[in-house]
């Protein structure tokens, strides 16, 4: 009987030993520890995966279960304090919530990368003392990262002239099919100098019939030319001018100061179907001038140069009976 227990014990020990992950250790050429991690019998990573600087300090840390890492990657400065330099928290849609820190320990920047490692949404940036310096809003336009808006701030919170942004709102996000949504857009910080902004034209572009043709999420089917020409797959659009060019100003916009009329667009948007939709469009601020340095103007004086800044927006709505 004792022999039987002894044999069973050896078998259990062997099985348990086979189930324990095997530690893998890698070294730099000089023999300094480079990386450690653990593999199970199916060669899947389990537990801690730690990488080291040549100095011996930890540079990177992550944790795995059955070959899949658990949510967050940690990157460290090259010092003995194991001070975090950045973290990457993976979200459900394969995007990454990213944080980077100064050596002072204060937050440097925070925002989200999409699955293609492109910045998206709002990113905030701070100096080494923790003061907010600027915020950028990114969108994916034509499949590429695009700086949509920017707010540069002083430590006291004042916005500087380097900012480029709009103020806009919709008076309701849930609306009846028989009702309308009041839409208001105003240039908050112009992309141009004060003098140029006085002559800039501002407009809002929307799909002519969103139930038939709507902009895609990255606006790749928008008309690319500012001269009215369109390509085969471009969405048919309507352009709504600023209040100073509208014959009738919406009642809710009647209080807009006279000096702001050319920088403001306001209108009523009427839904055409029930359900959940997204209002997509863009605000264009444009200046036009004759560039005397343009070689074409040496022979003729009517060739105008156009410069514009486009700010995109998309707002989810729900239309009910």
């Amino acid at each position: 009987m004792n022999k039987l227990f002894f044999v069973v014990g050896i078998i259990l020990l062997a099985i348990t030993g086979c189930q324990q992950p095997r530690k893998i250790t890698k070294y730099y050429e000089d023999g300094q520890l480079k990386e450690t991690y653990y593999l199970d019998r199916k060669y899947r990573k389990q537990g801690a995966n730690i990488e080291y600087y040549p100095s011996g300090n930890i540079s990177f840390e992550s944790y795995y279960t059955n070959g899949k890492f658990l949510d967050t990657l940690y990157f460290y400065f090259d010092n003995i304090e194991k001070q975090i330099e950045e973290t990457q928290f993976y979200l459900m849609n394969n995007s990454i919530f990213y944080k980077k820190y100064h050596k002072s320990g204060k937050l440097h920047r925070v925002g989200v990368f999409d699955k293609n490692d492109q910045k998206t949404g709002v990113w905030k940036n701070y100096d080494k003392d923790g003061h907010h310096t600027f915020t950028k809003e990114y969108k994916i336009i034509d499949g590429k990262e695009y700086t949509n808006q920017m707010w540069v701030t002083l430590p006291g919170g004042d916005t500087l002239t380097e900012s480029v942004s709009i103020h806009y709102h919709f008076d309701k996000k849930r609306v009846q099919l028989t009702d309308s949504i009041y839409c208001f857009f105003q240039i908050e910080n112009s992309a141009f100098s004060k003098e140029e902004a006085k002559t800039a034209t501002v407009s809002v572009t929307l799909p002519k019939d969103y139930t038939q043709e709507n902009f895609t999420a990255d606006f790749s089917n928008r008309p690319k030319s500012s001269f009215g020409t369109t390509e085969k797959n471009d969405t048919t659009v309507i352009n709504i001018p600023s209040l100073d060019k509208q014959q009738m100003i919406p009642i809710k916009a009647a209080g807009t100061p006279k000096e702001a009329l050319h920088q403001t667009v306001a209108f009523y948007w009427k839904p055409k179907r029930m359900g959940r939709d997204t209002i997509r469009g863009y605000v264009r601020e444009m200046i036009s001038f004759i560039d005397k340095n343009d070689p074409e103007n040496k022979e003729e004086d009517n060739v105008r140069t156009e410069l514009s800044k486009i700010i995109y927006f998309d707002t989810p709505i729900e239309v009910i009976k």
Side-chain angles (χ1 to χ4, degrees):
M1 181 65 72
N2 289 336
K3 289 183 179 180
L4 178 60
F5 283 136
F6 179 72
V7 172
V8 171
I10 291 177
I11 294 173
L12 289 174
L13 183 61
I15 293 174
T16 303
C18 289
Q19 292 177 341
Q20 291 297 318
R22 178 167 55 96
K23 184 176 182 179
I24 306 297
T25 304
K26 295 183 178 181
Y27 299 89
Y28 288 101
E29 290 183 359
D30 62 359
Q32 179 67 46
L33 184 61
K34 184 178 183 180
E35 182 180 8
T36 62
Y37 57 90
Y38 297 84
L39 294 178
D40 63 16
R41 60 182 180 177
K42 294 183 178 180
Y43 299 97
R44 299 175 301 183
K45 283 186 176 181
Q46 302 284 359
N49 184 167
I50 302 175
E51 296 180 14
Y52 298 82
Y53 288 106
S55 63
N57 297 319
I58 293 177
S59 65
F60 168 81
E61 201 169 18
S62 61
Y63 294 86
Y64 288 80
T65 296
N66 298 331
K68 296 181 179 180
F69 67 84
L70 302 179
D71 300 333
T72 308
L73 305 179
Y74 301 88
F75 299 82
Y76 300 95
F77 287 106
D78 189 358
N79 56 39
I80 60 174
E81 289 83 7
K82 195 182 175 184
Q83 185 183 8
I84 293 178
E85 182 177 8
E86 63 182 65
T87 61
Q88 299 180 13
F89 180 80
Y90 282 72
L91 305 172
M92 294 295 290
N93 59 356
N94 291 324
S95 58
I96 301 170
F97 181 64
Y98 175 86
K99 285 186 176 182
K100 187 175 179 64
Y101 296 85
H102 291 284
K103 281 192 174 181
S104 63
K106 299 291 187 179
L107 186 62
H108 185 184
R109 68 173 63 97
V110 58
V112 174
F113 285 105
D114 69 6
K115 62 182 180 180
N116 296 316
D117 292 330
Q118 298 182 115
K119 295 186 186 76
T120 184
V122 173
W123 279 69
K124 294 186 176 183
N125 295 261
Y126 305 84
D127 65 21
K128 63 181 180 179
D129 297 317
H131 299 133
H132 176 258
T133 52
F134 65 92
T135 293
K136 286 187 177 183
E137 180 198 41
Y138 295 91
K139 285 188 176 294
I140 305 302
I141 304 298
D142 296 328
K144 298 178 181 179
E145 179 184 301
Y146 176 84
T147 302
N148 199 45
Q149 299 188 78
M150 180 173 72
W151 299 265
V152 181
T153 57
L154 293 168
D158 295 330
T159 303
L160 299 177
T161 55
E162 288 88 347
S163 302
V164 178
S165 62
I166 60 171
H167 167 70
Y168 72 95
H169 72 264
F170 300 88
D171 68 344
K172 55 179 78 77
K173 300 288 181 69
R174 195 166 187 262
V175 61
Q176 291 183 325
L177 185 61
T178 55
D179 203 355
S180 297
I181 298 175
Y182 174 65
C183 310
F184 178 90
F185 301 82
Q186 190 171 74
I187 300 297
E188 187 175 47
N189 295 288
S190 175
F192 307 105
S193 69
K194 287 185 178 180
E195 287 304 312
E196 290 171 334
K198 291 178 182 179
T199 62
T201 60
V202 177
S203 62
V204 170
T205 300
L206 296 170
K208 187 173 183 179
D209 184 352
Y210 75 98
T211 63
Q212 301 298 319
E213 297 178 293
N214 199 359
F215 292 131
T216 56
D218 71 345
F219 292 87
S220 56
N221 61 340
R222 74 192 185 286
K224 307 298 190 300
S225 171
S226 60
F227 299 102
T229 57
T230 59
E231 300 293 332
K232 181 179 179 181
N233 296 321
D234 287 349
T235 300
T236 305
V237 300
I238 55 171
N239 294 302
I240 305 168
S242 52
L243 292 179
D244 64 322
K245 292 181 171 59
Q246 293 185 23
Q247 292 182 345
M248 293 185 63
I249 295 178
I251 294 176
K252 288 188 176 183
T256 304
K258 184 177 181 180
E259 63 272 15
L261 291 176
H262 74 289
Q263 293 185 313
T264 306
V265 180
F267 55 90
Y268 291 97
W269 184 89
K270 187 170 178 57
K272 296 184 178 181
R273 64 184 176 196
M274 290 189 295
R276 296 180 184 274
D277 271 305
T278 299
I279 302 177
R280 292 194 179 101
Y282 50 88
V283 178
R284 183 193 298 272
E285 182 185 21
M286 183 172 67
I287 61 173
S288 174
F289 58 95
I290 297 175
D291 184 0
K292 298 298 183 182
N293 296 319
D294 189 332
E296 293 187 42
N297 282 325
K298 291 180 179 179
E299 298 181 0
E300 47 183 301
D301 329 343
N302 59 350
V303 177
R304 302 189 69 84
T305 297
E306 289 188 347
L307 298 177
S308 64
K309 168 61 181 175
I310 294 177
I311 295 178
Y312 298 88
F313 62 87
D314 43 27
T315 300
I317 61 165
E318 183 179 8
V319 182
I320 59 177
K321 283 186 179 181

